[in-house]
């Protein structure tokens, strides 16, 4: 009985979507307002949070975790870094030095030269295969806005659009939904390519309205704030129909939802 409050949204989000060619698609389409949990730290996922969507690390979590969440009628998103290199990942040595740039502000992470698609595509495709093999419903590709940062490479908007669309295609080719992470400026060009959005700190920087194209398209916007209390952003989040919560930077179990 404890899930009846969100059972109807779950039935909606499990419905078929329509592919760009007009044919029915079986991939998941999350709808605005869905509650979610985002846990990337800690080897053990706390599955007691009663929400219909979990976003967890694709490398760290085994298939058994995804299966267990599915048994509880949850949809599960696979977190991957697709725009930055992480030195601790098991495939880190497969990335040639020529595509690894400046640090992105997080220890052990460096921006990737997303212009070198021929090098990166098979590496990212292998990661997508991992997500699919573990049974994930969707992918959250991170570091999708290198063109706006000091990456060590001369990236422009067209480079980012081309790469982000490639990431979306790789997920869709494997039957998984895919979210646009941040990259607010390119939402108008990319909303049709992605199934949902993931945003960090749009309230802190007064940018949340930029996510409206996703909401208008019937697509969820999963949103977190790290430095604001819920009292500072939840009213606007409800008005905009965002799926919002407060989290700590380490993205552990703790959450305060709107």
């Amino acid at each position: 009985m404890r899930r009846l409050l969100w059972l109807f949204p779950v039935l909606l989000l499990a419905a078929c979507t329509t592919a760009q060619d007009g044919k029915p698609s079986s991939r998941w389409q999350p709808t605005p307002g869905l509650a979610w949990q985002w846990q990337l730290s800690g080897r053990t996922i706390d599955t007691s949070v009663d929400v219909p969507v979990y976003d967890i690390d694709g490398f760290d979590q085994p298939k058994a975790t995804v299966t267990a969440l599915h048994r509880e009628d949850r949809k599960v998103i696979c977190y991957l870094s697709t725009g930055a290199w992480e030195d601790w990942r098991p495939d880190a040595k497969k990335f040639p030095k020529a595509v690894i740039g400046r640090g992105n502000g997080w220890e052990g992470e460096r921006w990737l030269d997303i212009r070198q698609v021929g090098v990166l595509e098979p590496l990212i495709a292998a990661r997508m295969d991992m997500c699919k093999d573990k049974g994930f419903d969707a992918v959250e590709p991170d570091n999708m806005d290198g063109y706006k940062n000091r990456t060590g490479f001369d990236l422009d908007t067209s480079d980012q659009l081309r790469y982000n669309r490639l990431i979306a295609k790789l997920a869709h080719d494997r039957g998984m939904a895919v979210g646009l992470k941040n990259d607010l400026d390119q939402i108008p060009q990319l909303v049709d390519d992605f199934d949902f959005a993931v945003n960090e700190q749009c309230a802190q920087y007064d940018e949340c309205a930029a996510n409206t194209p996703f909401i208008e398209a019937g697509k969820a916007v999963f949103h977190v704030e790290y430095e604001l209390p819920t009292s500072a952003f939840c009213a606007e989040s409800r008005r905009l129909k965002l799926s919002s919560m407060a989290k700590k930077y380490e993205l552990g179990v703790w959450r305060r939802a709107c």
Side-chain angles (χ1 to χ4, degrees):
M1 293 295 292
R2 64 189 179 92
R3 291 189 195 86
L4 288 180
L5 290 176
W6 52 262
L7 181 57
F8 182 64
V10 170
L11 293 174
L12 286 177
L13 64 86
C16 291
T17 60
T18 301
Q20 290 184 351
D21 60 6
K23 297 178 181 179
S25 169
S26 61
R27 70 174 178 266
W28 174 46
Q29 175 58 73
T31 53
L34 284 175
W36 69 307
Q37 167 65 323
W38 197 15
Q39 184 185 342
L40 300 185
S41 65
R43 289 288 179 177
T44 302
I45 298 297
D46 182 350
T47 61
S48 67
V49 182
D50 193 14
V51 293
V53 181
Y54 270 68
D55 190 336
I56 61 178
D57 190 277
F59 279 102
D60 290 347
Q61 299 306 321
K63 183 175 182 178
T65 300
V66 180
T67 301
L69 287 166
H70 281 161
R71 289 197 194 103
E72 296 292 321
D73 298 322
R74 278 79 179 260
K75 295 293 185 181
V76 194
I77 301 172
C78 181
Y79 171 88
L80 293 176
S81 183
T82 53
W85 176 77
E86 301 161 308
D87 65 5
W88 68 92
R89 297 300 191 186
D91 62 353
K93 292 182 179 179
K94 295 180 180 179
F95 288 77
K97 291 182 180 180
V99 302
I100 301 172
R102 292 178 180 267
N104 69 353
W106 295 92
E107 185 177 357
E109 297 188 27
R110 294 182 175 274
W111 290 106
L112 290 170
D113 186 356
I114 59 171
R115 299 169 301 178
Q116 299 196 47
V117 173
V119 175
L120 294 178
E121 181 173 356
L123 296 169
I124 302 303
R127 291 182 169 192
M128 295 280 189
D129 288 338
M130 174 188 68
C131 294
K132 178 184 177 182
D133 291 345
K134 290 183 178 182
F136 282 95
D137 303 287
V139 178
E140 179 212 336
D142 200 4
N143 298 296
M144 298 281 277
D145 55 0
Y147 78 107
K148 296 188 70 176
N149 293 273
R150 295 180 68 232
T151 62
F153 308 111
D154 186 19
L155 306 180
D156 61 26
T157 57
S158 62
D159 295 321
Q160 195 70 60
L161 286 171
R162 181 172 57 252
Y163 188 71
N164 288 3
R165 285 177 173 135
L166 169 65
I167 297 302
K169 183 179 186 301
L170 291 175
H172 288 162
D173 285 349
R174 289 155 178 79
M176 296 182 292
V178 61
L180 180 64
K181 181 72 170 286
N182 298 322
D183 196 16
L184 290 171
D185 290 345
Q186 294 187 331
I187 284 177
Q189 296 99 317
L190 293 173
V191 63
D192 290 340
D193 297 281
F194 287 82
D195 306 290
F196 59 94
V198 179
N199 179 270
E200 297 169 293
Q201 297 174 281
C202 66
Q204 182 175 342
Y205 298 104
D206 195 24
E207 299 172 331
C208 288
N211 292 288
T212 300
F214 273 98
I215 299 300
E216 290 178 342
K219 300 176 179 182
V221 176
F222 298 116
H223 161 234
V224 298
E225 293 292 330
Y226 302 114
E227 299 181 12
L228 298 179
T230 53
S231 60
F233 64 88
C234 280
E236 182 187 32
S237 289
R238 294 188 190 100
R239 180 177 64 82
L240 294 174
K241 300 181 181 179
L242 309 183
S243 301
S244 300
M245 61 182 171
K247 294 285 291 185
K248 297 177 181 178
Y249 278 109
E250 62 268 24
L251 292 173
V253 176
W254 185 89
R255 69 192 288 274
R256 289 289 184 271
C258 290

